[in-house]
Amino acid sequence: MTEESATDDGTADAAAEGDGSVIRRDRFSGGPARSFLSSLEADERIFEADLEVDRAHVVMLAERGIIEADVAGEILTALDAIEVDGHASLPDGEDVHEAIETAVIQRIGEEGGKMHTARSRNDEVAACIRYRLREDALSALEATCSLREVLCEVADEHAETVMPGYTHLQPAQPITVAHWALSYEQTVRRDTARLLEAYGRINASPLGGAAFAGTTFEIDRERTADLLGFDSVLENSMDASSSRDFLLETASALSILATTLSGLAEDVILFANRGFVSLSDDYSSTSSIMPQKKNPDTLELVRAVAGDAAAGVQGLQTTLKGLPRAYNRDLQRATPHVWEAVDAVTEATEVAAGAVATADWNEDALAGAAGEGFSTATGVADLLAENGLPFRTAHEVVAIAAEDGADYDALESAAREVLGEPLEVFVNPDAVEAALDPAESVASRDSQGGPAPLAVRTQLESARSSLETDQEKLMDASESLSSAHDALREEVNEYV
Ligand code: ARG
């Protein structure tokens, strides 16, 4: 049937007017809750995904002889035209699935309705979300890898740049910029790993689960999974069509990543505040009234995204909690939480990477501050303990010195007070002077994972090699998506 003959049909006419009644006829075609029910606008996000899912399903139906090859050809041709016209040209409908089917029927007539044989919008929407979320999760994953790369570069450049390390926001022990950067690299590495895990579970096909109870038609679920590049089939049809734990898992992994980013952003904001680091103008803002101001606004927004992401998890989990099997329309409102979270967190990751990559570390200011607050005290106590004093006694000597000048002389009088003898009886004065020096103090803490430049080099090697492994995994994943897309196109071309 041509588009013209379709519009000869009164039903199609009504659909052309935009009430979507090609599919619903006169039932459920309107009412005051119409826009409340509709997800069509939000479904723009899965418009392309839905067309791909439709194509795979139609190809499989034709291969199995469930629909005729020429009807499949007409449907597939219509889908291509609908894609060219874009989401904005879709007729009205309760959602993108209904609207696309309506658009197909408008173009080719009633036969178009055969595309919905042996499926339901329930398995269809689940497939679309998974299809689209794979791409978005890959973008988020790539952003984590770029951030890790930036942190490795900072570490490489600043393996010897001494800086103060803090606990409770107070100077605690000297470290290096490299040690700080790699501490975040290692956390973000786990964020990558968590998202990769989630990706594995997103990448399974629910298609063919139908409404929830399977179908009487002799469908081939492995085939549609394969055509869509899914790694596996979600076997139980009720689980396939109605579970959304993959959304919750992805949102949670994103929220954990956002929490990591918020700490990183906060550190850099504090470092900028203390003059340790200078942000590039590209990642700063100024005040509309105070002309002297250069503010770390981008990083403050990165810090705030943790709130958005946590809200997404909360919204999603609250929506999903207590939902009975199988499909319930609540699920329509679950999905947008994840789109919002993945967009915000991916962008925040990219911005954090850019801000760190373009920041200038002020080595003099860092060196000047590295010894502040008697930050070498632990090293001096360690030295006394190495020389035979019980650590608790050494701690007491150094604690008294800390209150009393925090230098060699202070240590000397503390030793006389606590131990009754001069310091040199216990330890070589040169060694004490070295322990009081921030750079020497850093160099001496060469235990595995410590800040000593040598220990940091080892950490940097492992950071780089795991980054390479993860980047390969991402490359494989995105190649497998694009080759599935190309292969499906070839199958479609057999019909159109
Ligand atoms: N727009 C719906 C969603 O996002 C599609 C599924 C509708 N299914 C149904 N049984 N009403 O969940």
Side-chain angles (χ1 to χ4, degrees), residues 261-305:
L261 295 176
S262 71
L264 172 73
E266 170 67 2
D267 267 1
V268 180
I269 291 165
L270 287 172
F271 295 164
N273 178 269
R274 289 170 188 162
F276 298 162
V277 78
S278 166
L279 290 176
S280 140
D281 285 357
D282 286 348
Y283 288 92
S284 308
S285 187
T286 186
S287 160
S288 57
I289 178 169
M290 298 167 282
Q292 85 285 10
K293 297 273 281 170
K294 176 172 162 181
N295 300 324
D297 293 38
T298 53
L299 289 168
E300 290 166 355
L301 288 166
V302 168
R303 191 172 58 185
V305 163

Side-chain angles (χ1 to χ4, degrees), residues 39 43 94-95 97 121-122 125 244 327 329 331-332:
S39 61
D43 286 346
E94 214 173 83
D95 52 32
H97 323 292
R121 281 185 297 157
N122 298 351
V125 69
R244 295 291 185 274
Y327 180 86
R329 193 62 170 269
L331 294 179
Q332 179 169 292

Side-chain angles (χ1 to χ4, degrees), residues 36 71 78 108 128 151 179 194 220 244 260 270 279 285 314 368 374 392 456 460:
F36 184 67
V71 173
I108 68 170
C128 295
L151 291 167
H179 193 238
R194 268 186 289 269
D220 185 347
R244 295 291 185 274
T260 308
L270 287 172
L279 290 176
S285 187
Q314 184 90 26
F374 201 13
R392 198 43 58 209
V456 159
L460 183 54

Side-chain angles (χ1 to χ4, degrees), residues 7 9-22 34 90-92 102 106:
T7 48
D9 179 308
T11 315
D13 264 348
E17 281 160 23
D19 68 2
S21 58
V22 157
R34 186 166 180 75
L90 285 176
D92 194 14
T102 302
Q106 284 175 351

